[in-house]
Amino acid sequence: MIDRNATIDGMQVSIHADETVLEAATRVGVTIPTLCKGRDLSPEGGCRLCLVEVEGTSRPQAACHTKLADGMVIRTATDRIESLRRDILDLTLSAHPDQTFDASSPQTEFEELLAQYDLHRSSYPDRAMPATLDQTHPYLRYDPSRCILCRRCIDACESIQGQFVFSIESRGIQSSLCYGDDDSFLDSGCVACGACVDRCPTAAITDIDRIARVKSDRVTRTTCGYCGVGCQIDVRSRDGRITEIGGAKDAVVNRGHLCAKGRYAHAYQSADDRLTQPLLRNGEHLEPVSWDEAIDWVSTRILSIGKRWGPDALGVFTSSRSTNEAAYLLQKMFRGIIGTNNIDCCARVCHSSTALALRTVTGTGAASASYEDIELAKCIVIAGANPTEAHPVVGSRIKQAVLDGAKLIVIDPRRIELAEYATCFLPLRPGTNVALFNAMAKLLIESGQVDVRYLEERVDGWSELEKFVEGLSLEQSAQTCGVAPDRIADAAQILGEVGPALFVHGLGLSELTQGTESVMTLCNLGMLTGSIGKPGAGMLPLRGQNNVQGNADMGAMPNLVTGYQSVQDSGVRERVGSIWNATIPTRPGKTIPEMIDAAAAGEIRGLWIQGEDVAQSDPNETHVRSALNNLELLVVQELFLSETAQYADLVLPAAGALEQDGTFTNGERRIQRVRAAVEPPGQARPDWEVARNVACALGAHWTYSCADDVMTEIAAVAPAIFGGVAFDRLGDDGLQWPCPDRTHPGTRRVHESEFIRGRGQLICVEHIASPEHSVDGFPYLLITGRVLEHYNVGTMTRRTPNRTLRAEDTLEIHVRDAAREGIVDGSRVDIESQWGSTNVVAQVSQRVQPGHVFLSFHFPETHTNRLTGPQRDAKSNCPEYKVTAVRLRTPETQSPPA
C-alpha cells in the first residue's frame, strides 16, 4: 500500500479519509484560527479566518472546507494570510462599540484572537448598531452588542439539540440574530441546554454561572444526579461551592451535551433548607440530635421491633437517587442482620414491569442496546416514552438520527415533541399497548415481513404466535386502541421494510395493569424483526432516575439479591451468606405497594426510606399518608424535609449526588464513577456510611473504609455480572455489565450471539382492559408524567431557577373538551377520581387527545397522586399511573350544596 501524505507548515501529514485541512492541522498540533467552526459542528465557511495558502492555487482556501489531498503543500501562517486575518478581525471589531471587547485581559475566544493580533480598537469607521441586553431568561443572557454573527449558536442548536431556535434576520449591516417569532429568550423555543453558550466565541450568549466569573479552584469529573441517561459532567467549584457545571467533552454517553437540569439546576445543593443534622421526633416536633444519639436510638428501636414482632415487621425502600454502594449495604443490612427480605426500591413503581418482561423473554431485565445504537439505527420505535422531556440528551440524539434519515415511529397517547419528527405517529388510547402491538405483529406475520431465520435459530413460540394472531381482528384491535387500521398498517410496514429496529420505551408501557404484557408484546415485535442483539437495534428502556437501574442491580428487590440472584436458590443463599457471614432469609419479601398496605394494616411496624418521597410520588396518596402515619418507626434519609420526612421519627441528613463518592448505573447498564465535587453541608453524610454505622450498632463488624471497598464486595457477590467491575477500571466512561472478570471490556450489546436465557420467547397474550377504562361518571382518562423543567417530585429542581421556567403543574386538556366543560386556559379546575380529588390549573392544549388529560406531579401542592388509585400489574406489582378515570368540575358546573 502506497503512503499518501501532505505537508502542513513543513510537517509531513498522513491522509485520513474525508478529512479537511483544518481537521488534519488540529490532529498534528497546528493551530488555525476560526470563529464560525465550533467544536462538533459542521464547517460554516463564513468567517474566513481559517484561510490558508495551498501550493498551486492562486487564492487562499478555507481550511474548514478544503479536503486534505495527497501531495498538498499547505502554509497556514504566511505574512499574506496573517494580514488577511488581522483585517478580517479589524473589520469585525468595527461593528461593535468601543470597550465591548477587552484584548488586554481576554476572557473569550474572540478576545484572545484580538490579543494575538494586537487589536484594541478598530481602524475602520464605527458600524455599531443599537442593542439591548436580553435578561429575560433565568439562566441565559444575550447581548447583541457582542454578537459577531458567526452562526455557531445556530449550528449548535440545530445539529446538537435539534431545537432550531435561532436564525439571522435582515441583511448586511442590519443583520441580527433572532430567536423564532418571540422577542425574548424566555419565550422562545430554547430549552436551555447550553450548547450555544459552550460554543459562542464572544460571550454574546452566556449564562449566569459564567457572568458571575467566579474562578474555580477545582474541577471534578462525575456523573449527573438527575435522570437515568448518566451524563458525564465537569463540576467547577471554589471554596466548597459549585460555580459552574459543563458536559464532559469526551464522554461516551453525552459527548459534552447536557440538558437544563444537568447544566444549570444545581442551586439546590446550597439551598438554605438543606438538612444538616439528624432530627429526632419529640412529640409534634423534630429536634436536632448528634449522629451518635441518632444511630444509638435507631438501632435500639430496630432491635426492639424485631424482638417484639419479628424481622418481617420491618422493611426498607432503598434510593434510586443514591449510589450503588448505598443500596447494596442497606439491602445487606436488612437481609443479613435484621433478617427480612422486605426490601424494594422505586423501580417497583416505574420499570418493574419492564424488568420482569425482559427477564422473562430474553433472560435479563435490562436494556439489550446502548445509546450508541441510536446513531446506527435505521428505524426507531418510541413507545410510551417522552425522551426530549424526561431524557433530553437521548432525545436530542434521536432527533439527530431522524434528521440524518432514520425512520421514526412514535406510539403515545400525547403528541409529544418527537411526534413532530415521526414518519408515523400512533396516538393510542392509554393502556391499550397490548392490542396495538398484537395488531402490528399480525400484520408483520401475514405480510411475510419477519426474520424467519432469526426466529428459527433463536426464538421459541413462533408457531404459537402465528396461530394466535390468526384469530385476531385488526379492526377490533384498532377500535380498542383508538388508532385507524391504515395507520397501524403504515407503522407495521415501516417496521417490516426498514427493520431491524431500535425500540425505545418507557413508563407508558410499564405503569399499567398490563404493563408486563405491554413490554412482552413489544419484545414480540423486536424478535419478529430480528432486532434484539443487533447493532442499531434492540430494546432500550429509558430509566427514570439517575440510579434506578443500579438500585435494582444491587439487590433492592424482595425476591432477588445482588446481581438478580434468587433468594429462593439455596446455592445463592449459601454462597452469598458465606461472604456476608450471615444467613439470608428464604421467603421473598414484600414489594413497596405491599409494604404500604401492610403498614396501613399494622403488619409492618417500621420502615426505613432512603431518598424516596413516597408521600408525594406513590399512587393513592391518601392511603400512603395514612400508612406512614400508622408506623411505629419511620426513618428517612433525605436532602430536605420532604413530604415523607414530615412523618418521620428520625430524619438523617444525606449527602447529595455532587457530594459523595461511589457509582451510578445508567439506563444502558453503564456503571460510572460518582465523585464528590464539594463537601456535604453541615453533618450530612453519604448514605453508604450511615448504613455501615447502623449495621455496626446492630452488632455487625463491617470495616468498609470507602465506597471502593463496597464495590469490591459487590463484584465478589455477583461475579457473573460484576466480577470485573472495580473503581480502578471504571475510568471516565465506566463499564457496561455484564463484565465478569478484570480482562473483560464490558458489554455494549446483550444477546448478540444468543439470548441469555438460551432462546428468546414469543408471548401470546390478549388485551385486557384496565378497571379504569370504563368507570361510570368519570369520562376522562388521566395520564401522569414528567415535564422538561422538573425532575421527579421536584425536590431538587423546585429549589433552582427552573421554577421560573415552570412554576406549577398544569392539567393539559384538549381544546374541544375544554370548550365543552367551560374551561379556559389558566383557570382552576377540580379534578376527581374514585380515589381522591385535587384542584389544578388548566392548560388548553392540542398535545392530548379528546377524552384524555395529562398532569405532572412535580409540586407537592398539586397532590397529583391523590387521583391515582390501587390498580397494579398483577405480575410485577407496578402501580397504574398512566390510566385513571377522572371527571372535571369548574365552579360553574359544580352542584350547589344541599
Side-chain angles (χ1 to χ4, degrees):
M1 184 176 179
I2 300 174
D3 290 338
R4 301 169 65 244
N5 297 289
T7 302
I8 299 178
D9 291 345
M11 185 187 310
Q12 194 172 74
V13 179
S14 59
I15 305 293
H16 289 192
D18 207 35
E19 189 176 41
T20 65
V21 171
L22 180 62
E23 290 167 337
T26 301
R27 171 164 58 86
V28 298
V30 174
T31 300
I32 299 175
T34 178
L35 284 173
C36 63
K37 172 69 172 73
R39 175 175 57 86
D40 300 333
L41 301 178
S42 298
E44 177 67 32
C47 74
R48 315 309 284 176
L49 271 186
C50 72
L51 291 173
V52 295
E53 289 185 352
V54 179
E55 194 171 282
T57 62
S58 59
R59 294 181 178 180
Q61 304 295 304
C64 66
H65 273 287
T66 304
K67 300 293 183 183
L68 190 68
D70 188 30
M72 267 188 176
V73 177
I74 298 155
R75 299 178 182 86
T76 70
T78 64
D79 290 345
R80 176 192 183 197
I81 291 296
E82 290 293 273
S83 176
L84 279 171
R85 286 175 184 157
R86 193 180 195 283
D87 203 39
I88 290 167
L89 289 169
D90 191 1
L91 188 61
T92 302
L93 190 60
S94 72
H96 302 275
D98 286 345
Q99 314 306 318
T100 300
F101 300 108
D102 184 2
S104 61
S105 180
Q107 299 288 328
T108 68
E109 192 177 338
F110 183 60
E111 288 171 334
E112 287 174 356
L113 283 171
L114 295 178
Q116 180 182 335
Y117 287 89
D118 197 26
L119 270 168
H120 296 270
R121 296 190 61 167
S122 177
S123 64
Y124 288 93
D126 183 0
R127 299 183 299 125
M129 300 292 290
T132 302
L133 177 66
D134 187 335
Q135 302 183 80
T136 57
H137 198 281
Y139 294 122
L140 302 173
R141 300 290 182 268
Y142 174 54
D143 184 352
S145 71
R146 299 182 69 90
C147 181
I148 61 173
L149 299 178
C150 67
R151 299 180 62 92
R152 281 196 197 178
C153 57
I154 298 174
D155 293 346
C157 193
E158 293 179 1
S159 65
I160 297 172
Q161 179 59 33
Q163 212 63 25
F164 299 91
V165 170
F166 301 107
S167 62
I168 292 177
E169 62 181 1
S170 301
R171 302 181 66 181
I173 190 64
Q174 302 293 328
S175 299
S176 64
L177 185 72
C178 61
Y179 10 80
D181 298 325
D182 299 294
D183 295 327
S184 73
F185 232 144
L186 181 62
D187 297 324
S188 72
C190 176
V191 294
C193 72
C196 55
V197 174
D198 269 352
R199 291 160 179 82
C200 180
T202 65
I205 301 176
T206 188
D207 58 42
I208 57 173
D209 290 341
R210 286 168 171 81
I211 287 172
R213 287 191 175 178
V214 176
K215 188 172 179 61
S216 59
D217 56 19
R218 183 181 178 192
V219 181
T220 306
R221 172 80 172 254
T222 188
T223 305
C224 180
Y226 279 109
C227 78
V229 173
C231 293
Q232 288 294 289
I233 55 177
D234 290 328
V235 182
R236 298 182 181 275
S237 59
R238 184 176 183 84
D239 299 330
R241 291 182 70 89
I242 294 166
T243 60
E244 183 183 330
I245 294 178
K249 293 178 174 57
D250 59 344
V252 169
V253 170
N254 54 307
R255 304 169 178 178
H257 194 40
L258 292 175
C259 73
K261 295 185 285 287
R263 184 183 295 272
Y264 295 123
H266 55 78
Y268 75 89
Q269 187 274 329
S270 56
D272 291 339
D273 60 342
R274 277 291 299 272
L275 294 171
T276 59
Q277 54 190 329
L279 301 173
L280 182 63
R281 183 165 298 282
N282 183 4
E284 295 298 311
H285 304 286
L286 290 164
E287 299 178 350
V289 295
S290 70
W291 271 105
D292 287 345
E293 289 175 279
I295 290 170
D296 181 66
W297 185 88
V298 72
S299 59
T300 300
R301 294 298 297 272
I302 287 171
L303 291 171
S304 173
I305 290 174
K307 183 176 180 180
R308 286 182 290 123
W309 303 102
D312 286 336
L314 292 155
V316 63
F317 305 170
T318 66
S319 177
S320 293
R321 289 160 51 206
S322 195
T323 61
N324 286 321
E325 294 74 19
Y328 172 80
L329 289 187
L330 202 52
Q331 63 87 34
K332 176 183 177 180
M333 183 177 87
F334 270 76
R335 282 196 165 103
I337 300 174
I338 295 170
T340 182
N341 282 318
N342 287 339
I343 300 158
D344 211 355
C345 66
C346 80
R348 178 66 49 197
V349 297
C350 59
H351 262 300
S352 58
S353 300
T354 302
L356 178 59
L358 290 171
R359 191 162 58 248
T360 301
V361 303
T362 71
T364 184
S368 72
S370 295
Y371 300 149
E372 68 177 32
D373 286 303
I374 294 169
E375 285 77 26
L376 300 175
K378 296 179 180 178
C379 178
I380 301 173
V381 179
I382 298 177
N386 186 5
T388 58
E389 295 201 60
H391 305 84
V393 170
V394 164
S396 66
R397 289 177 68 167
I398 292 172
K399 280 186 192 178
Q400 296 305 324
V402 175
L403 292 171
D404 285 343
K407 301 293 184 183
L408 178 64
I409 299 169
V410 172
I411 301 168
D412 200 285
R414 294 170 72 220
R415 193 172 188 88
I416 62 173
E417 182 185 2
L418 284 169
E420 305 301 324
Y421 293 74
T423 315
C424 183
F425 172 46
L426 304 180
L428 80 170
R429 190 181 189 212
T432 60
N433 300 296
V434 171
L436 177 62
F437 299 154
N438 280 343
M440 292 176 70
K442 176 183 177 70
L443 290 164
L444 287 171
I445 291 169
E446 291 181 349
S447 64
Q449 292 180 309
V450 296
D451 190 334
V452 175
R453 181 177 178 181
Y454 180 96
L455 293 168
E456 290 177 345
E457 292 180 354
R458 301 190 56 182
V459 176
D460 291 332
W462 166 224
S463 59
E464 291 85 350
L465 186 62
E466 277 189 298
K467 293 175 184 176
F468 173 75
V469 299
E470 282 180 13
L472 293 177
S473 163
L474 178 60
E475 290 70 23
Q476 181 61 50
S477 297
Q479 184 177 355
T480 297
C481 63
V483 179
D486 59 340
R487 295 181 76 170
I488 300 174
D490 289 344
Q493 184 175 359
I494 294 167
L495 192 57
E497 290 179 352
V498 183
L502 181 65
F503 295 85
V504 180
H505 50 111
L507 303 185
L509 266 60
S510 63
E511 291 180 342
L512 300 166
T513 53
Q514 266 201 308
T516 304
E517 287 92 344
S518 291
V519 179
M520 285 177 169
T521 49
L522 185 71
C523 288
N524 281 352
L525 301 181
M527 293 185 207
L528 289 173
T529 54
S531 299
I532 301 177
K534 299 281 186 67
M539 313 308 295
L540 188 60
L542 298 180
R543 303 299 191 181
Q545 296 194 49
N546 53 297
N547 198 37
V548 66
Q549 178 66 58
N551 210 357
D553 294 347
M554 292 301 105
M557 302 178 76
N559 60 329
L560 300 172
V561 76
T562 311
Y564 303 98
Q565 302 171 94
S566 174
V567 298
Q568 294 178 291
D569 185 322
S570 60
V572 168
R573 292 197 308 275
E574 182 179 346
R575 186 177 58 78
V576 176
S578 67
I579 295 172
W580 288 359
N581 192 26
T583 300
I584 297 174
T586 305
R587 186 175 63 187
K590 290 180 169 61
T591 63
I592 284 179
E594 291 168 341
M595 282 190 265
I596 294 292
D597 290 347
E603 297 167 8
I604 280 189
R605 300 289 178 143
L607 279 177
W608 184 309
I609 299 179
Q610 182 191 66
E612 298 295 341
D613 193 3
V614 295
Q616 184 180 340
S617 66
D618 280 32
N620 204 357
E621 179 188 313
T622 303
H623 175 61
V624 171
R625 289 177 182 263
S626 176
L628 296 177
N629 203 44
N630 198 42
L631 289 166
E632 181 180 330
L633 170 66
L634 177 59
V635 181
V636 173
Q637 287 176 276
E638 255 298 357
L639 305 181
F640 301 96
L641 196 64
S642 64
E643 296 292 300
T644 301
Q646 294 175 44
Y647 289 88
D649 299 290
L650 179 65
V651 181
L652 301 174
L658 299 171
E659 302 159 354
Q660 61 180 311
D661 286 334
T663 56
F664 294 156
T665 306
N666 76 351
E668 56 172 356
R669 299 167 282 101
R670 188 182 298 275
I671 304 165
Q672 300 183 106
R673 284 282 278 115
V674 178
R675 300 175 179 90
V678 292
E679 292 294 319
Q683 299 174 39
R685 292 183 179 178
D687 294 328
W688 75 265
E689 288 187 15
V690 177
R692 177 199 61 190
N693 294 348
V694 172
C696 290
L698 291 170
H701 182 62
W702 288 4
T703 59
Y704 314 103
S705 62
C706 59
D708 193 355
D709 291 346
V710 183
M711 180 54 74
T712 299
E713 183 173 296
I714 292 166
V717 166
I721 296 180
F722 307 123
V725 177
F727 277 28
D728 65 352
R729 294 197 69 217
L730 293 178
D732 286 336
D733 287 314
L735 289 166
Q736 289 174 273
W737 66 257
C739 182
D741 59 65
R742 288 187 63 91
T743 64
H744 197 283
T747 305
R748 290 186 299 176
R749 203 167 289 114
V750 186
H751 318 299
E752 281 192 301
S753 57
E754 64 176 358
F755 285 96
I756 286 180
R757 72 187 298 275
R759 291 175 66 84
Q761 181 64 57
L762 294 167
I763 298 292
C764 303
V765 59
E766 298 274 4
H767 164 73
I768 301 172
S770 165
E772 297 285 332
H773 271 145
S774 300
V775 182
D776 289 342
F778 296 86
Y780 296 98
L781 292 179
L782 168 69
I783 308 161
T784 66
R786 297 180 182 179
V787 296
L788 171 66
E789 297 81 5
H790 289 287
Y791 170 68
N792 210 36
V793 295
T795 307
M796 298 188 293
T797 50
R798 283 186 281 107
R799 290 172 169 86
T800 74
N802 276 39
R803 187 156 189 157
T804 302
L805 297 174
R806 174 79 69 144
E808 60 190 349
D809 295 310
T810 55
L811 182 76
E812 292 183 13
I813 180 172
H814 191 269
V815 175
R816 294 210 303 263
D817 293 334
R820 183 172 57 253
E821 297 285 352
I823 294 170
V824 297
D825 194 59
S827 64
R828 298 204 70 89
V829 180
D830 288 332
I831 177 170
E832 303 173 12
S833 73
Q834 301 174 83
W835 320 108
S837 64
T838 190
N839 181 269
V840 295
V841 172
Q843 179 184 354
V844 179
S845 171
Q846 296 279 12
R847 295 187 75 188
V848 290
Q849 303 296 311
H852 304 163
V853 291
F854 173 85
L855 183 62
S856 54
F857 58 95
H858 303 298
F859 291 79
E861 59 268 26
T862 306
H863 295 290
T864 300
N865 282 310
R866 282 182 185 171
L867 302 168
T868 53
Q871 317 293 0
R872 303 171 195 164
D873 181 293
K875 293 181 173 65
S876 67
N877 225 234
C878 183
E880 184 166 57
Y881 289 97
K882 302 305 182 187
V883 183
T884 303
V886 297
R887 62 188 173 203
L888 308 176
R889 295 183 184 275
T890 63
E892 292 75 17
T893 61
Q894 292 176 6
S895 302

